[in-house]
Amino acid sequence: MRSFFIVLLVSVISLSLSASSSKEETKLLVEQTAKFCKTHTKKECFEAIDSDRFSKDELFIFAFNYDGVGVANGRIPMLIGKDLWYLINPDGMHVFQEQIKVAKQKEGWLQYKWKTPKGKSIEKLSYIMDIDGKFYIGSGLTLKKLEAN
Amino acid sequence: MKIIDNLNIHKKITLTPIVSILFMLIISIFSYTNLLNEKETIYDLVKVKMHTVEHNSKTTALLRLINGNMYKIFNLKSAKFDTKKIILEQETLLKDLENYFNEVSKCPYVEEANKLHYANMAKIYQLYKKVALDSLEIMKFNEHVSFMLFLGSDELYNDIVKHLTKSSTISNEQSLKAYEDSMSKVSNAMVMLFILMAIALVASVALSIKVSNSIKIPLKNLQNGLLDFFKYISHEKDSVEPIKVFSHDEIGEMSKIINSHIKKTQEDMEQDSHMITNLISCVEDVNNGLLDGKIKEEPNQKELKKVKEIFNSMLENLEDKIGKDINQILKTLDDYSIYNYESSITNAKGKVEVTVNSLGTTIQKMLNENLNNGQALKEKASTLFDSVDTLEENTTKQKELVIESTFELKALTDNLHKQVVNSSLIASHSDEVNSSAEKGTTFANSTARAMDNMKRMVDEINKSIEIIDNIVVQTNILSLNASVEAVSAGDAGKGFSVVASEVRNLASQSSNASNEIKKIVNKAKDRADEGKKIVQEMIDGYKILRDNIDSTMTIISENTTIANKQDKNICNINDIVSELFKQSSKTTSIVSKTHSIADETNGIAKKIVEDVKKLNKNLEVSI
């Protein structure tokens, strides 16, 4: 667990240190993953996502079904099987319900407030893409970078 | 109502209880059904509603506890406290509540309206639980994300609470409704029950009154009818009404039967009363002396029939024995009592009538005889009168003669007394001679006794001499034996033979001497016998003398006795004479009385003759 956090920490630092991911990169990553998933079985798709193959710097792929339950995750495997339908961010937004709404329109961007494990509030911009009408995939970039940009 | 009248008493009596029981049954069934409903309502109220309330409150409490715990956990986590234990607790609680929801869903007391709520609640809770558990998991990775997730579950929590509130509301509403329903049902049931009871009461009372009347009134009628009938029988009432018949039950039947009896008795009694009236008139006739009446009416009662028979036969008998009319007999007898013997009974048939008529005739005959007898009596009475006069004279003469004989008798008595005195003197002299003769006899007797003594002594001497003779004979035999023995002894016995011969001599001498004595003694005996004979002759002489004296004495005493007897006889004669005297005096008085009686008889005879003559005159007139 600790090592995981360390990895996360390292990655975040590296992200902040390295050249931050852009909107294009995020969208490209999601599109690549979606392309893979649509040409492969669901199992192969989830395994591919879980193995964090589709990632770049801070960006990684997460996959949820339309009930808000995590089905695959590149960096936070703990969320697999967790029901985040009811989750409310500090703005009072049902983040995952909104993501599903976007996913239902095939693909799109969603910005929302999020909190780091250390409790720091951040703005996230995620690109969401439906796969087969049953689950969607997405990836988010931290907008602080954008602001900093 | 007429139907009730025509039922029999048994059915009438059982009708009221049966109807009452029917009503009771109806009321019981009604009450039971209502109570059963109420029971269900109360069961509903108590079990279902109470259970619902209990579920809801328990669910709420658990849910709040879980929710609170979640916040507690986050607080502890952010404050870096160890949360392992409380997380474990929270997991248990979550499990518990899930179990409880399962239990509740299986509970039979959950209402239909609430079942949906509970099902929804269970579903929502499933989500809530999952979110809670997920957020606890996520807490390990990012407590903030976890918190965000948990905050999102507030929605679910609120949903559950809403459902709970709704369920409670529904339950309360339903309870209230059930309560009100039940109350209205109870009050309706009570009203219905009261109405039923009132109907039952009124019907029972009315029926029992009707039934009791349908028994009581005919019974009362029957009783009154019977009482009237009894009064009629005991002649307290003159008429009797038949009993009114209302119904065809036993009482009605009884009344009909009694009515027919009343009618018959009435007819019978009227018949009897006719007969009795007839009897009374007959008895009145008899009282008035008329015996020719008859009872003609035929009675009903056996006894009265017998009375009629007896009375008629009595009347016949009376008519036969006495006559038709006692008044006529009495009148005739009255005529007789005033010596009117001309009267007689016409058409006499009864024995008494005939007898009275013959009595009249007999009296007439007797009166004639009496006249004759009276005249004869009169004649005899005058004869008697004369005879009594003669008797009186004779009696006087007799009295004088008696006095004379009395004097004669006295003289005779005196003579007799003298004679008696003389004979007693003779008797005393004879007594003296007698005593002298007795003395001589005594002497002669003592001489005779001396002679006898001498004779006895001589006899004793003779006995002694016989003894001596015996001794002599034996001595002789002894001496002979001795001499024989002396001879056989030879010489030695010579001396002894001498002695023997001497003894023989002595014996012969003794024999001689005794013979002499015998002769002398016999002579003495002869003398004594002669003496005795002389003495005997002397005694005989005395005896003859005494006998003579005795016979003389007897004669004298007989004389004396005769004289005494004569004396007594004379005395008796004396007494008789004096009695005769007395009697003759009495006779005199009787004669004088007889005289007066004869006088009276004469008078009476005269009177009889006169009376008879008088009657005869009447008779002569009547005849």
Side-chain angles (χ1 to χ4, degrees):
Chain A
M1 187 66 80
R2 189 168 284 176
S3 63
F4 175 77
F5 280 117
I6 292 164
V7 169
L8 201 70
L9 192 70
V10 168
S11 66
V12 167
I13 293 166
S14 65
L15 268 175
S16 60
L17 286 179
S18 66
S20 293
S21 305
S22 65
K23 269 179 94 177
E24 287 75 25
E25 283 172 336
T26 311
K27 192 180 174 185
L28 188 68
L29 186 65
V30 171
E31 278 169 353
Q32 280 175 349
T33 312
K35 199 182 174 183
F36 176 85
C37 282
K38 281 174 181 170
T39 51
H40 290 85
T41 63
K42 204 188 255 180
K43 202 186 169 191
E44 281 167 351
C45 165
F46 291 164
E47 276 172 7
I49 292 165
D50 286 340
S51 65
D52 205 18
R53 251 169 66 189
F54 311 103
S55 62
K56 192 180 182 263
D57 302 331
E58 60 149 358
L59 293 175
F60 66 92
I61 296 292
F62 52 84
F64 287 87
N65 66 15
Y66 277 38
D67 288 332
V69 178
V71 286
N73 205 301
R75 299 243 174 104
I76 318 164
M78 191 178 279
L79 288 180
I80 296 167
K82 301 289 182 289
D83 183 351
L84 301 178
W85 175 272
Y86 296 101
L87 187 137
I88 289 177
N89 72 356
D91 289 339
M93 185 200 213
H94 283 102
V95 175
F96 291 90
Q97 290 177 28
E98 292 301 320
Q99 281 182 2
I100 288 165
K101 272 182 194 168
V102 173
K104 277 181 178 170
Q105 285 154 19
K106 295 299 170 187
E107 58 196 293
W109 289 99
L110 183 68
Q111 189 183 331
Y112 51 88
K113 230 173 226 167
W114 198 248
K115 279 215 167 190
T116 61
K118 284 185 176 171
K120 192 182 172 188
S121 278
I122 49 166
E123 281 291 328
K124 273 244 176 191
L125 185 63
S126 296
Y127 190 73
I128 307 298
M129 198 170 198
D130 172 60
I131 299 299
D132 61 349
K134 284 176 185 169
F135 71 96
Y136 67 89
I137 55 166
S139 182
L141 60 133
T142 308
L143 278 186
K144 198 181 174 184
K145 266 256 162 83
L146 287 175
E147 281 162 13
N149 286 344
Chain B
M1 284 297 134
K2 197 72 190 165
I3 297 165
I4 293 174
D5 282 340
N6 291 343
L7 287 174
N8 64 29
I9 289 174
H10 170 72
K11 281 176 185 164
K12 275 181 190 176
I13 289 168
T14 47
L15 187 64
T16 316
I18 285 171
V19 169
S20 302
I21 288 165
L22 271 173
F23 275 116
M24 275 165 71
L25 259 175
I26 291 166
I27 291 168
S28 304
I29 290 165
F30 180 79
S31 307
Y32 177 74
T33 326
N34 274 294
L35 278 175
L36 214 64
N37 283 336
E38 293 329 299
K39 193 184 163 192
E40 276 169 18
T41 311
I42 290 163
Y43 180 80
D44 221 34
L45 272 171
V46 172
K47 286 275 178 185
V48 181
K49 274 70 189 180
M50 292 303 280
H51 272 278
T52 311
V53 170
E54 194 191 329
H55 291 323
N56 290 354
S57 60
K58 194 171 176 184
T59 311
T60 311
L62 265 174
L63 201 63
R64 280 199 181 135
L65 185 63
I66 288 164
N67 209 33
N69 267 353
M70 283 308 281
Y71 285 104
K72 207 168 159 187
I73 289 164
F74 286 115
N75 280 333
L76 291 171
K77 190 76 184 175
S78 61
K80 308 283 180 205
F81 277 79
D82 182 20
T83 54
K84 266 182 192 165
K85 201 183 169 190
I86 196 162
I87 285 169
L88 273 175
E89 260 179 42
Q90 184 71 341
E91 278 166 357
T92 318
L93 278 173
L94 283 164
K95 199 87 190 154
D96 283 353
L97 189 54
E98 190 186 15
N99 289 339
Y100 188 64
F101 269 116
N102 282 336
E103 254 175 56
V104 170
S105 72
K106 282 173 199 161
C107 180
Y109 309 127
V110 179
E111 296 163 297
E112 282 305 318
N114 271 339
K115 265 185 185 170
L116 190 68
H117 282 294
Y118 281 117
N120 287 335
M121 261 194 272
K123 268 184 204 163
I124 296 164
Y125 178 71
Q126 281 298 322
L127 291 173
Y128 176 82
K129 186 193 156 201
K130 179 146 178 48
V131 172
L133 287 173
D134 285 356
S135 70
L136 285 176
E137 276 287 304
I138 292 165
M139 197 184 277
K140 293 168 189 169
F141 150 71
N142 184 339
E143 60 179 88
H144 303 289
V145 172
S146 167
F147 188 66
M148 283 193 289
L149 183 56
F150 178 67
L151 274 179
S153 80
D154 259 5
E155 203 180 316
L156 294 170
Y157 172 84
N158 288 335
D159 271 0
I160 292 171
V161 171
K162 262 182 216 162
H163 276 296
L164 280 173
T165 319
K166 256 189 184 170
S167 150
S168 291
T169 316
I170 288 168
S171 188
N172 281 337
E173 276 169 3
Q174 287 204 340
S175 294
L176 200 66
K177 199 165 166 272
Y179 173 75
E180 278 166 1
D181 276 2
S182 171
M183 283 322 264
S184 76
K185 266 188 206 166
V186 165
S187 52
N188 283 344
M190 272 170 81
V191 169
M192 196 63 199
L193 202 63
F194 279 131
I195 290 166
L196 266 177
M197 275 163 79
I199 291 167
L201 196 68
V202 169
S204 297
V205 168
L207 194 65
S208 50
I209 287 169
K210 176 62 197 163
V211 165
S212 82
N213 278 345
S214 80
I215 296 170
K216 203 167 73 184
I217 294 170
L219 261 182
K220 190 77 190 167
N221 273 333
L222 182 64
Q223 187 194 16
N224 288 339
L226 276 176
L227 283 175
D228 278 358
F229 180 47
F230 291 141
K231 275 182 185 167
Y232 175 69
I233 288 173
S234 59
H235 301 291
E236 281 173 43
K237 274 181 92 176
D238 295 330
S239 65
V240 61
E241 289 292 311
I243 299 163
K244 284 171 198 162
V245 179
F246 293 114
S247 57
H248 298 289
D249 58 1
E250 289 89 335
I251 297 168
E253 292 305 314
M254 265 159 70
S255 302
K256 277 180 198 164
I257 293 164
I258 291 165
N259 276 347
S260 72
H261 277 278
I262 287 174
K263 205 178 165 193
K264 197 176 175 297
T265 312
Q266 211 170 359
E267 284 167 11
D268 291 352
M269 281 184 78
E270 269 161 24
Q271 214 176 328
D272 287 349
S273 114
H274 284 312
M275 181 262 165
I276 287 165
T277 320
N278 200 182
L279 173 71
I280 289 165
S281 77
C282 278
V283 170
E284 272 168 5
D285 280 355
V286 172
N287 274 343
N288 292 329
L290 295 170
L291 302 177
D292 56 346
K294 281 264 144 54
I295 299 171
K296 278 157 199 156
E297 294 285 344
E298 191 59 33
N300 183 61
Q301 279 185 45
K302 262 189 196 171
E303 287 79 7
L304 285 178
K305 274 182 186 167
K306 211 167 183 186
V307 167
K308 186 198 165 188
E309 262 173 44
I310 292 168
F311 195 78
N312 279 347
S313 80
M314 184 190 83
L315 282 176
E316 269 171 35
N317 250 335
L318 281 176
E319 203 183 334
D320 194 36
K321 295 255 168 71
I322 297 171
K324 276 183 183 170
D325 191 352
I326 292 174
N327 295 321
Q328 219 182 338
I329 296 168
L330 286 174
K331 195 180 166 288
T332 311
L333 285 174
D334 278 346
D335 284 346
Y336 288 175
S337 72
I338 52 165
Y339 309 115
N340 180 11
Y341 299 108
E342 90 222 68
S343 179
S344 72
I345 300 156
T346 48
N347 294 329
K349 273 183 190 168
K351 279 182 186 167
V352 172
E353 284 176 334
V354 173
T355 312
V356 168
N357 276 353
S358 75
L359 180 71
T361 328
T362 312
I363 287 172
Q364 278 173 26
K365 272 186 200 167
M366 205 175 71
L367 278 174
N368 283 331
E369 268 175 30
N370 267 10
L371 183 63
N372 296 336
N373 287 346
Q375 273 169 347
L377 183 67
K378 201 181 160 193
E379 282 164 24
K380 299 281 175 192
S382 62
T383 317
L384 176 68
F385 193 64
D386 295 342
S387 303
V388 169
D389 274 350
T390 320
L391 182 66
E392 203 174 0
E393 275 170 31
N394 287 348
T395 313
T396 321
K397 274 181 193 167
Q398 194 187 11
K399 205 175 168 185
E400 281 164 11
L401 283 174
V402 167
I403 293 163
E404 264 174 47
S405 63
T406 314
F407 287 122
E408 296 272 335
L409 268 172
K410 199 160 189 201
L412 186 66
T413 315
D414 289 345
N415 287 342
L416 259 172
H417 271 307
K418 276 176 193 165
Q419 200 182 346
V420 169
V421 169
N422 288 340
S423 55
S424 61
L425 276 175
I426 295 166
S428 67
H429 288 306
S430 310
D431 276 345
E432 277 170 21
V433 176
N434 206 5
S435 66
S436 305
E438 263 180 14
K439 276 177 188 166
T441 312
T442 320
F443 286 135
N445 278 340
S446 56
T447 314
R449 247 177 268 134
M451 288 300 178
D452 277 338
N453 282 342
M454 204 167 83
K455 205 182 164 186
R456 226 176 284 138
M457 281 164 78
V458 168
D459 282 343
E460 272 171 25
I461 293 165
N462 272 342
K463 278 178 192 166
S464 308
I465 292 165
E466 272 172 24
I467 293 163
I468 295 165
D469 278 347
N470 283 338
I471 295 166
V472 167
V473 170
Q474 280 178 348
T475 315
N476 229 352
I477 293 164
L478 197 71
S479 67
L480 268 171
N481 285 342
S483 56
V484 170
E485 291 293 324
V487 169
S488 61
D491 287 336
K494 269 180 190 169
F496 201 69
S497 77
V498 173
V499 175
S501 67
E502 277 301 309
V503 169
R504 200 160 53 214
N505 287 338
L506 207 64
S508 66
Q509 276 170 16
S510 301
S511 177
N512 291 339
S514 73
N515 283 337
E516 281 298 309
I517 291 162
K518 229 184 247 177
K519 278 170 192 170
I520 294 161
V521 167
N522 281 340
K523 270 176 191 169
K525 200 183 170 185
D526 290 343
R527 290 279 160 79
D529 284 340
E530 273 169 28
K532 206 184 167 186
K533 267 178 196 164
I534 291 159
V535 169
Q536 196 59 46
E537 277 165 10
M538 212 160 80
I539 287 166
D540 291 344
Y542 276 123
K543 208 179 179 183
I544 291 160
L545 183 66
R546 253 182 89 184
D547 288 346
N548 287 340
I549 289 164
D550 279 345
S551 61
T552 313
M553 282 284 279
T554 316
I555 291 161
I556 289 164
S557 68
E558 271 173 8
N559 274 349
T560 315
T561 320
I562 289 162
N564 279 337
K565 271 184 185 168
Q566 271 177 341
D567 197 22
K568 270 181 193 166
N569 286 343
I570 285 161
C571 279
N572 285 344
I573 291 166
N574 228 346
D575 291 343
I576 290 162
V577 167
S578 62
E579 191 65 26
L580 197 64
F581 184 68
K582 276 180 199 164
Q583 287 297 329
S584 63
S585 329
K586 270 185 191 171
T587 311
T588 316
S589 68
I590 288 163
V591 165
S592 61
K593 268 183 196 168
T594 313
H595 195 259
S596 63
I597 288 164
D599 244 357
E600 278 169 24
T601 311
N602 208 4
I604 289 162
K606 274 178 192 168
K607 202 169 178 272
I608 289 168
V609 171
E610 276 164 22
D611 285 350
V612 171
K613 269 180 184 168
K614 234 190 255 173
L615 285 170
N616 267 9
K617 268 176 206 163
N618 288 337
L619 278 173
E620 274 151 27
V621 172
S622 69
I623 293 161

